[in-house]
């Protein structure tokens, strides 16, 4: 006998042996039968949402009031950054208030009757759609939001305020609006080129062909920069003033401007990649190529650092240099175009662009 022939008998047999147990009898909750219990639960839900809203406000106050560097000890944990601890705790309480409020609301006040939904064709009939509308309406009334507007208001307030701790730190953390930082560096006429990080000046006569130096402007190297200018300015300088200095054979330099802005084959270029700003720090002595390690943009030092490979679109800006009375390398001027990646409004009047040089 085939398997198909056995199927109806097996199904019948299974139905005989496994009777549908049905649903357990519905047991009403206390809030279903006792109005004062329902009111108490409602107050508790409001309190939890209110707690969440207060924690969100506390988060915002802490974010702006507490010093981000403030450290202190917490029993058993040792010294920690209190700014982070307070932000974490307030955001945690805010989330917890919303979660507990929603769960308590669902468990005590929302309908908990078991519903049986029959299977139907994909396209609901008009009757079914009316039934859905009826059930939604029933659910809305069952949630008691039409009667208990305090829950609606407090839940809306808690959820609305909870968005602020997510949004405000991001917006506030964007930092100050850029001023002239995108156009200017700390390089000025007469500043010596100092080896980074030792801070030693460079005598042109000591630079041998093929040698490479990473340099910063005089007064902006190492600890001195932090002590004199403060951490923020020193860090900003480190990110935009960094220069790579190479001595080439003057006969292989193909650009007159590059020759004029260098000194006897010694040329200095911004290390800030014109793609997205990584430090271009790898010099290939045989090919005279400068490589950016981030996305492999390659700049040809014999062709005024024009891009020969990779996603960068502009050559590295050159720093015009010469020597002072003692033979040390100095900047003749600052960069004559904005360093780093392209940006809107880059071509500001008064700055010399590379195609004008
Ligand atoms: S940052 Fe240099 S290639 Fe992308």
């Amino acid at each position: 006998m085939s398997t198909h022939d056995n199927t109806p008998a097996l199904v019948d047999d299974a139905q005989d042996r496994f009777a549908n147990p049905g649903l357990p009898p519905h047991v009403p909750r206390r809030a279903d039968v006792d109005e004062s219990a329902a009111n108490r639960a409602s107050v508790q839900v409001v309190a939890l949402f209110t707690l969440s809203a207060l924690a969100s406000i506390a988060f915002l106050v802490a974010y702006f009031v507490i010093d981000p560097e403030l450290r202190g000890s917490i029993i058993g944990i040792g010294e920690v950054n209190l700014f982070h601890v307070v932000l974490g705790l307030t955001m945690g309480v805010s989330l917890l208030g919303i979660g507990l409020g929603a769960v308590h609301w669902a468990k005590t006040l929302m309908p908990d009757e078991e519903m049986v939904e029959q299977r139907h064709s994909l396209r609901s009939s008009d009757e079914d759609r009316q039934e859905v509308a009826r059930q939604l309406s029933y659910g809305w009334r069952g949630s008691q939001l039409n009667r208990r507007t305090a829950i609606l208001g407090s839940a809306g307030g808690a959820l609305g305020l909870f968005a602020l701790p997510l949004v405000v730190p991001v917006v506030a953390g964007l930092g100050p609006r850029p001023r002239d930082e995108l156009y200017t560096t700390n390089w000025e006429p007469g500043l010596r080129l100092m080896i980074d990080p030792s801070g030693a000046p460079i005598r042109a006569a000591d630079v041998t062909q093929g040698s490479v130096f990473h340099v910063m402007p005089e007064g902006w190297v190492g600890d001195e920069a932090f002590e004199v200018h403060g951490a923020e300015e020193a860090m900003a300088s480190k990110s935009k003033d960094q220069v790579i200095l190479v001595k080439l054979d003057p006969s292989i330099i193909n650009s007159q401007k590059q020759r004029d802005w260098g000194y006897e084959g010694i040329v200095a270029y911004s290390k800030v990649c014109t793609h997205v700003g990584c430090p271009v720090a790898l010099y290939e002595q045989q090919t005279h190529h400068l490589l950016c390690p981030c996305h492999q943009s390659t700049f040809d030092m014999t062709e005024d650092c024009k891009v020969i490979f990779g996603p960068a679109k502009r050559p590295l800006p050159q720093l015009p240099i010469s020597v002072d009375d003692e033979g040390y390398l100095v900047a003749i001027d600052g960069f004559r175009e904005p360093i780093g990646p392209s940006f809107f409004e880059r071509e500001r009047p008064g700055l010399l662009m590379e195609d004008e040089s």
Side-chain angles (χ1 to χ4, degrees), residues 213-261:
F213 295 93
H214 300 277
V215 299
M216 291 287 287
E218 185 177 0
W220 290 95
V221 196
D223 294 343
E224 182 194 354
F226 280 80
E227 282 159 20
V228 176
H229 305 287
E232 195 169 325
E233 289 291 318
M235 302 277 279
S237 163
K238 188 80 183 162
S239 63
K240 66 180 181 179
D241 295 336
Q242 47 186 320
V243 158
I244 189 164
L245 182 102
V246 178
K247 179 158 187 178
L248 301 170
D249 176 353
S251 67
I252 64 170
I253 297 179
N254 292 314
S255 149
Q256 185 58 44
K257 169 233 162 185
Q258 188 181 12
R259 235 184 308 245
D260 292 346
W261 287 17

Side-chain angles (χ1 to χ4, degrees), residues 87-110:
L87 292 192
L89 283 176
T90 49
M91 184 180 274
V93 171
S94 179
L95 263 177
L96 191 69
I98 289 176
L100 290 180
V103 169
H104 195 46
W105 178 15
K107 286 210 165 275
T108 54
L109 295 172
M110 286 190 181

